Structures are given as C-alpha cells and as structure tokens.
Amino acid sequence: MKKYICELPSDLFEIFLVELNGYGVEILSRDEKNTVFAIYSQNEESQTIKETILSIFEDLGSGKIVLEEDIQEENWEEKWKENFKPILVEPFIIIPEWEIYEGKDLIPIKLKIAMAFGTGLHPSTQLMLSLIPKYVSKNDKVIDIGCGTGILSIAAAKLGAIVDAVDIEKKAVEECKVNSWENQVKVNCFQGSVEDVKDVYDVVLSNLQIDIFDKYFSQIKDKFKKVWLLSGIFKDEKDKIVKMADENGLEIIEIITKPEQGKPDDLWYGFAIKHK
C-alpha cells in the first residue's frame, strides 16, 4: 500500500476534499497557514491516485506531495479499524464494512475500507444526508450527479428510491458499484458527465464544487421535477447559488449549514430547490 503525505494551504484544504470526491485523508497537522495530511491507496491504484492528487493541486494553484512511501497493508487496516467511529447523521448511521448494525431506529450505510479514513465524512456530505430523508420518497426516480463512492445514492436507495448514479471518474463508478452491493441496494452506476444524463428525474442530488455549478447549473436544473438537493458550497459561494437559482426560475425552499470542524464561522451550505 502507498502513503502520500501532502501539504496544502489550510484555506484550500476543504475544497481539495470536495474535489478528491470521496477518498479519505488522515490529517497529520493543521494550523491557520498549512495542513499536512496523508492519503492511502492500494498499490494497483496508486498511480491513478497520485495523478488525481497532482491534478487537483494544479487546479488549485497550490499544494505538493512531500513524501511517498510504501506501508504494510495489515498495519493500515488495523489503524483504520481502531480509528473509525460510527458517524450519526439521522436517520442514517455510517459504519465500517465489517460491522453489523444491531439496532432498529437507524438506517445503516456501510463504508469500504480505505474510502473514508480520517474524514468523519465531509460537512457537505453530512448536509446532503440530512436533506435526503426530507425530500426523497419511496419509488422516487433519483439521479446522483458526481456520485463519488456512492454514499448519497445508497442513502436514497435505502429509502426506496430508484437510483441512477453518474461520475466522470471510472474508479468512482467502480467504488459506487462495490458499495451498493455491500449495502444490498440496487444503484445503476455509470460513467459520464452532466451531458450524458438524458432522463428527467423526480430528485437530483449533486454534491459538487462551485466551478461545476458555474458551468452546468442551467443544464442540471432541467433534470428534475420535484426537488434538487445540492451541496459542496462554502462560505461566500452561497450567494452565487442564490443568484443562479433566481436567474433560472428556481425557488430555494431550504438552506442548511454545517461548519468546518473547529471553525464555527467557516460554513458549508446545503440547498433544497424547486421550480417556481
């Protein structure tokens, strides 16, 4: 297994996590100036992960890999198990793949090893998980655009929705399929972009960064009938979404927020939007 130790300005770190699209990181140190973190990958996928990291750094205009090393996979798995704690986002509880949820009050979602270590789930993901049970009903036709590892798709499917999931990254689609199987739900995961979404759905899910909404907002707004749930929006980006919704004849029916851990003023936003 490969371990990549990276350094990035702290004000870009949360944006990096969103663009990383589901892969977990381990924060090694963090202050107001810089964040040092580790990303782990299986040997067979290490080159792809490295290229992805470097590509995001290039897009952000900052960041570097300061160390690349091989580690024993057995030690990694044990460390993951020791550190992972169930994450509650009612009505869902996120648990590692080896655990069995014995309760009856919550809906379990299992995560595959190495997909979420150290993240505690990104605030934008938690916002989406909070919105889904409010707006997704049984037999709703749902599309998850930019599905990543498929956690939002799985949540919707567990509520009885009929779910498609799309991502431009082949690896993300493969992980979505594996995670769906692990959670015993049916999700139609396929590789593609917004242009490849031909149908109109009851609900659209999109946890994406603002530059993707800048490019595709007007296209995505034509893909839903009932509600559009979106997140990945940080701080001042909120005003952009409000403006784009108004310009496209949409009404924002709910806005929820969640701060970055340890920074109560650094808010992430989630939106529920409908046609006027």
Side-chain angles (χ1 to χ4, degrees), residues 17-24 45 48-49 52 56 111-112 114-115 144-154 164-181 187-193 207-208:
L17 288 182
V18 173
E19 295 205 17
L20 195 60
N21 204 16
Y23 283 96
E45 66 177 7
T48 300
I49 297 301
T52 299
I56 297 173
L111 287 184
K112 186 176 180 292
M115 288 186 181
D144 182 3
I145 298 176
C147 63
T149 55
I151 186 170
L152 303 181
S153 301
I154 292 165
D164 288 343
V166 60
D167 200 288
I168 61 173
E169 297 292 339
K170 181 179 179 180
K171 183 63 178 177
V173 173
E174 292 172 353
E175 291 171 353
C176 179
K177 291 178 179 178
V178 170
N179 277 339
S180 299
W181 176 86
V187 175
N188 175 35
C189 312
F190 64 97
Q191 186 175 7
S193 65
N207 183 21
L208 303 166

Side-chain angles (χ1 to χ4, degrees), residues 8-112:
L8 184 69
S10 292
D11 60 349
L12 298 176
F13 179 64
E14 297 292 343
I15 300 172
F16 175 87
L17 288 182
V18 173
E19 295 205 17
L20 195 60
N21 204 16
Y23 283 96
V25 306
E26 179 185 10
I27 298 175
L28 303 177
S29 66
R30 190 173 192 182
D31 55 32
E32 291 187 359
K33 184 177 181 182
N34 290 311
T35 297
V36 179
F37 56 96
I39 297 175
Y40 301 83
S41 70
Q42 301 289 344
N43 289 330
E44 62 268 18
E45 66 177 7
S46 60
Q47 187 59 36
T48 300
I49 297 301
K50 182 177 181 180
E51 290 173 359
T52 299
I53 295 169
L54 293 175
S55 176
I56 297 173
F57 286 161
E58 182 177 357
D59 289 344
L60 295 176
S62 188
K64 60 183 178 180
I65 297 175
V66 297
L67 180 65
E68 176 182 336
E69 60 181 344
D70 294 309
I71 61 171
Q72 291 295 320
E73 187 169 348
E74 294 80 9
N75 293 340
W76 158 256
E77 291 184 4
E78 289 305 313
K79 185 175 183 181
W80 201 91
K81 290 180 180 181
E82 289 172 4
N83 283 273
F84 190 95
K85 301 293 188 296
I87 301 164
L88 179 62
V89 186
E90 292 186 357
F92 305 105
I93 184 168
I94 316 303
I95 59 175
E97 61 182 334
W98 60 84
E99 285 194 4
I100 297 175
Y101 176 64
E102 301 288 355
K104 297 180 180 180
D105 298 329
L106 301 171
I107 302 171
I109 297 176
K110 291 187 175 184
L111 287 184
K112 186 176 180 292

Side-chain angles (χ1 to χ4, degrees), residues 119-139:
T119 63
L121 284 178
H122 190 270
S124 63
T125 305
Q126 293 197 25
L127 289 169
M128 291 293 285
L129 288 172
S130 297
L131 288 170
I132 285 171
K134 297 181 183 179
Y135 296 100
V136 174
S137 302
K138 186 176 181 180
N139 295 323

